Amino acid sequence: MNTESGVANIPYDTIDLTGERIMLVGGAGFIGHHLALELRRKGAEIVVLDNLQINNVVKILTDASLDPVRRQLYLNFLTSRFEMMREAGIHIETVDARMFPEFARAFNTFLPTKAVHLAAISSAVVANQVPGLAYDLQITSLRHLLDLCQLKESVCRQVQFLSSSTVYGDFEGSSVDETVRPQPKGVYANGKYMGERMMREAKRLFGLDYTIIRPSALYGIRCISGRVSQKFVENAMTGKPLLLEGGGSGMLDFTHIDDLIEGMVRSLGVSGGLSRTFNITFGNARTIAELAAIVKDVVPEVKFEERPAAAEKPKRGTLHIHRAKEYLGFVPSRPLETGYREYCQWYVNEWRRAAAMVGK
């Protein structure tokens, strides 16, 4: 067992976070609500801070681009998130972490022992369209969190920062590990990399322990972020073809949300923190064509349409997870063949339920 980690050989089911008070900054989103629910199951007291600017019911209700079925579907997902957190005893506060006074009030009232920073615009495409807002949400909120952690009244011992595999930029080979120097492109990736640098400086300047998490190509229930895994199922349900750029040869390290959450929880279970960066992925890149084939198994009538490869799309591949295995005992358990198939079947059922609700 790696004694530095304290969790490397501990079965996941036995991790107990009773006594920890964990604050999730920007925690009402796809990843955040899953993490909040699991941390609560592990015994931690949880508060979620979110300005709800991204996870916005009003935005969904007023978005003219959404057809009635998708609008109802997304509302169902958001309602389920908040109901599940309420039933689990998770406290949710509408706080804009960019506004220091209201953030400080919430922080000093809850007095977290650990904190997780998740605040961001989750879409790289949208981030490029509104760079000022994207940087503001990510960087300003993180700066305020780190400022609060260094106050003498703070009992926060560890901050976990959710970064992204996009910080690597174009892969020079078929895979990367955490020793590869990041070459981020675009607002989203550069914002994440700036956040990573801020975490390391906080450790150097005032000894705050941290963990940096780099996930990749997430999929899972109650997601409304518009990832390719979600778009493919929706296209299949609306009779639109699945677009396979370059014949679907592009590679992504698709990762089930449950695997990501286990890795994040394991790193939060470390006594004193590790102050390391971890790839938390499935650790085996697959092609877009393989993803599409699973959709076709679930929705046989779906059609494929090939397009030339987009020159601006980054070259991706496998993110090695050897470090997470060594220090955290992280071993993913949801391969694409079962995890994504279950997700597709769940999504089809939810789609049909939403359609019935709006009389379609």
Side-chain angles (χ1 to χ4, degrees):
M1 176 176 177
N2 188 310
T3 56
E4 184 181 2
S5 75
V7 296
N9 288 344
I10 296 177
Y12 183 65
D13 290 344
T14 66
I15 293 176
D16 185 2
L17 294 172
T18 301
E20 298 286 3
R21 296 187 305 279
I22 304 178
M23 174 175 282
L24 307 188
V25 181
F30 171 51
I31 298 171
H33 87 279
H34 278 284
L35 180 61
L37 291 167
E38 185 64 6
L39 290 172
R40 190 74 186 101
R41 281 190 284 267
K42 294 294 185 182
E45 185 178 349
I46 305 298
V47 65
V48 168
L49 306 186
D50 204 299
N51 65 7
L52 302 181
Q53 185 171 351
I54 305 301
N55 305 289
N56 192 326
V57 172
V58 174
K59 183 178 180 181
I60 292 172
L61 286 171
T62 58
D63 187 347
S65 70
L66 291 178
D67 59 81
V69 176
R70 282 193 298 159
R71 182 176 295 112
Q72 185 63 55
L73 184 71
Y74 296 172
L75 289 174
N76 290 348
F77 292 173
L78 287 185
T79 300
S80 294
R81 291 181 187 180
F82 290 110
E83 287 180 342
M84 292 175 73
M85 287 192 284
R86 181 197 67 219
E87 291 168 2
I90 295 166
H91 186 54
I92 304 169
E93 289 197 36
T94 307
V95 169
D96 192 329
R98 297 172 296 172
M99 305 294 110
F100 189 78
E102 61 180 279
F103 189 6
R105 176 198 55 77
F107 188 92
N108 293 328
T109 299
F110 185 67
L111 290 176
T113 58
K114 300 192 177 192
V116 183
H117 186 277
L118 302 126
I121 291 177
S122 60
S123 167
V125 174
V126 175
N128 280 337
Q129 294 169 350
V130 286
L133 176 61
Y135 285 133
D136 196 23
L137 285 171
Q138 285 195 164
I139 304 304
T140 303
S141 60
L142 179 59
R143 176 170 63 86
H144 288 164
L145 174 59
L146 297 179
D147 283 347
L148 289 166
C149 286
Q150 67 177 304
L151 297 177
K152 63 179 181 179
E153 298 86 1
S154 173
V155 294
C156 189
R157 306 184 306 273
Q158 177 191 5
V159 172
Q160 183 182 84
F161 177 69
L162 188 76
S163 185
S164 168
S165 60
T166 60
V167 299
Y168 291 111
D170 288 323
F171 288 19
E172 295 183 358
S174 61
S175 62
V176 295
D177 63 19
E178 296 90 343
T179 66
V180 171
R181 183 176 181 179
Q183 300 182 66
K185 295 180 179 180
V187 171
Y188 177 78
N190 274 285
K192 289 296 188 183
Y193 188 49
M194 283 188 277
E196 290 190 6
R197 299 292 296 270
M198 291 167 67
M199 297 300 300
R200 297 187 186 102
E201 285 302 300
K203 172 67 175 179
R204 184 182 69 84
L205 292 172
F206 53 93
L208 179 67
D209 286 319
Y210 68 85
T211 47
I212 293 169
I213 305 293
R214 292 174 178 168
S216 170
L218 291 172
Y219 66 92
I221 61 176
R222 297 185 298 277
C223 179
I224 59 172
S225 302
R227 294 173 169 89
V228 63
S229 51
Q230 177 192 356
K231 288 181 177 178
F232 269 14
V233 188
E234 290 192 358
N235 283 359
M237 295 305 293
T238 55
K240 297 178 182 178
L242 307 190
L243 303 181
L244 302 181
E245 296 181 354
S249 60
M251 306 283 288
L252 286 173
D253 197 340
F254 293 104
T255 305
H256 194 283
I257 186 64
D258 289 353
D259 283 334
L260 172 66
I261 295 305
E262 176 173 339
M264 295 179 75
V265 171
R266 280 185 170 276
S267 74
L268 287 167
V270 175
S271 178
L274 284 169
S275 296
R276 290 180 180 269
T277 299
F278 295 102
N279 293 333
I280 301 293
T281 71
F282 192 77
N284 181 28
R286 307 292 291 274
T287 66
I288 301 296
E290 289 177 284
L291 190 79
I294 294 173
V295 177
K296 189 169 181 62
D297 282 346
V298 177
V299 188
E301 60 271 22
V302 71
K303 304 295 183 184
F304 299 156
E305 185 177 309
E306 294 193 9
R307 296 279 181 88
E312 68 275 8
K313 291 288 182 68
K315 180 185 176 184
R316 310 295 295 282
T318 294
L319 281 75
H320 288 302
I321 55 175
H322 307 309
R323 180 183 290 180
K325 288 180 179 179
E326 177 184 359
Y327 288 96
L328 303 177
F330 170 68
V331 179
S333 61
R334 306 300 298 273
L336 198 67
E337 287 79 7
T338 56
Y340 188 59
R341 186 182 304 276
E342 290 173 3
Y343 169 71
C344 289
Q345 292 167 339
W346 174 86
Y347 211 98
V348 168
N349 291 336
E350 290 296 312
W351 183 279
R352 290 171 177 164
R353 184 169 76 91
M357 292 174 71
V358 297
K360 296 291 185 179

